[in-house]
């Protein structure tokens, strides 16, 4: 379980990096560092953005700015709200199918195959959102005159950590290596 850091170098570093972004594009954002060795960051619909110390230890300041821009993108683009809506809709559809009276549909809707189909749909939805947040992060980097290449190097570091950065159909994130190449192409204007 991640614990919030009340002080220390990680919290001070994050506060310094985010000082000018607490009210980004009309959003009221709250940034906190969590003491956790995992390489992760996440955002909630209410503007809470959390960065794990494991990620901070692997990234330069500019790379962290890229990750922060990506997380701001999730908030700005409404991804958390959309994910909740999708989960509720999928659950309601499965319950309706189970209650339909059709024995074959009811068995299928409550089976592992039904779970698998729901996970596949959610993973593909998530990959699209991740790509949209990557684009937002690139714009964020350019807008604030940060080095956009740092976003590429951040994804390359993540690719090294996840064994090459290839995504499968069930993964919630596109492959890190693919993300690095896509952003590098955007920077190069291709």
């Amino acid at each position: 379980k991640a614990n919030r850091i009340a002080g220390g170098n990680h919290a001070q570093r994050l506060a310094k990096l985010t000082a000018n972004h607490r009210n980004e594009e009309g959003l009221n954002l709250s940034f906190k560092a969590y003491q956790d060795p995992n390489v992760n960051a996440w955002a909630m619909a209410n503007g809470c953005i959390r960065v794990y110390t494991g990620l901070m230890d692997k990234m330069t300041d500019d790379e962290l700015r890229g990750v922060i821009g990506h997380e701001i993108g999730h908030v700005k683009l409404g991804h958390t709200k959309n994910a909740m809506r999708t989960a509720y809709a999928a659950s309601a559809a499965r319950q309706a199918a189970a209650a339909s009276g059709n024995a074959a549909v009811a068995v299928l809707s409550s089976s592992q195959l039904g779970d698998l189909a729901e996970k596949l749909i959610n993973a593909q939805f998530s990959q699209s959102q991740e790509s949209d947040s990557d684009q937002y992060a690139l714009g964020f980097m350019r807008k604030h005159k940060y080095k956009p290449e740092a976003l590429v190097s951040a994804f390359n570091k993540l690719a090294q950590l996840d064994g090459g950065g290839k995504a499968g159909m069930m993964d919630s994130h596109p492959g890190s290596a693919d993300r690095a190449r896509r952003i590098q192409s955007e920077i190069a204007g291709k």
Side-chain angles (χ1 to χ4, degrees), residues 80-158:
T80 302
K81 289 177 188 175
N82 291 338
M84 287 174 41
R85 283 187 202 117
T86 300
Y88 287 136
S91 177
R94 288 183 66 197
Q95 288 174 6
S100 71
N102 182 321
V105 172
V107 168
L108 181 63
S109 71
S110 63
S111 73
Q112 290 179 340
L113 184 57
D115 288 339
L116 182 65
E118 189 174 326
K119 287 178 183 173
L120 177 62
I121 290 166
N122 286 331
Q124 297 306 304
F125 184 66
S126 294
Q127 285 188 19
S128 173
Q129 290 179 333
E130 292 300 323
S131 294
D132 290 346
S133 286
D134 292 349
Q135 287 301 123
Y136 184 93
L138 180 58
F140 172 85
M141 298 293 278
R142 287 175 168 157
K143 173 183 171 183
H144 293 289
K145 298 187 180 8
Y146 299 140
K147 298 175 186 171
E149 297 80 11
L151 193 54
V152 175
S153 62
F155 286 133
N156 282 328
K157 283 182 181 180
L158 293 174

Side-chain angles (χ1 to χ4, degrees), residues 1 14 36 38 63 73 81 89 111 132 150 176:
K1 185 176 176 180
L14 186 61
D36 192 301
N38 290 304
E63 290 166 343
K81 289 177 188 175
S111 73
D132 290 346
S176 299

Side-chain angles (χ1 to χ4, degrees), residues 16 24 29-30 44 47 51 58 74-75 130 141 150 162 168 177-178:
K16 178 182 169 193
E24 187 75 23
L29 303 171
S30 165
M44 294 176 50
V51 183
K58 301 268 187 235
H74 282 306
V75 177
E130 292 300 323
M141 298 293 278
D162 64 23
D178 291 338

Side-chain angles (χ1 to χ4, degrees), residues 167-178:
M169 286 186 355
M170 301 299 281
D171 292 336
S172 64
H173 288 61
S176 299
D178 291 338

